[in-house]
Amino acid sequence: MDTLASIAPGHAGLLIWLVWALIGLFEGLVASRVLGGRRIAFMDVVVGIVSACIGGFLSINFVGSTAIMLFLISILAAIFASALVLWLVGTIFYKDSQEIDR
């Protein structure tokens, strides 16, 4: 069970990957629901999951020194990275549909 939840620089257990994926799933669903318009929910969910996993993974490799610090920072990085990428994708791909709706 220790290998599932272990977190160390260069190594992330299965459990932390699932946490990052759930964060991305939640943020993708929230973004598609709140922002509405002509957004595609599936695309928001996929972008949210991928960006949260990448943000969490990168934070483990570049920040922190203890296991608890790595876990908390990776969760915050997953939240921030997913929100940032969803916002960027929304402004780049859905800019025209927002102008049409007005």
Side-chain angles (χ1 to χ4, degrees):
M1 185 67 173
D2 289 337
T3 59
L4 285 177
S6 65
I7 185 167
H11 179 265
L14 178 65
L15 200 58
I16 192 66
W17 284 96
L18 291 175
V19 170
W20 295 335
L22 287 174
I23 288 170
L25 173 72
F26 178 74
E27 285 196 24
L29 290 173
V30 168
S32 65
R33 177 77 173 155
V34 170
L35 299 176
R38 297 183 182 186
R39 295 181 71 97
I40 301 170
F42 179 74
M43 182 177 163
D44 285 338
V45 168
V46 169
V47 167
I49 291 172
V50 169
S51 59
C53 289
I54 290 172
F57 180 74
L58 290 177
S59 70
I60 282 181
N61 288 320
F62 296 113
V63 182
S65 59
T66 65
I68 298 296
M69 183 186 293
L70 285 171
F71 177 75
L72 295 175
I73 290 173
S74 73
I75 296 295
L76 291 174
I79 292 169
F80 179 74
S82 181
L84 180 67
V85 172
L86 281 168
W87 176 73
L88 287 173
V89 167
T91 57
I92 292 170
F93 291 113
Y94 300 114
K95 184 177 182 182
D96 296 333
S97 65
Q98 291 172 355
E99 292 175 359
I100 293 172
D101 290 339
R102 289 183 190 177

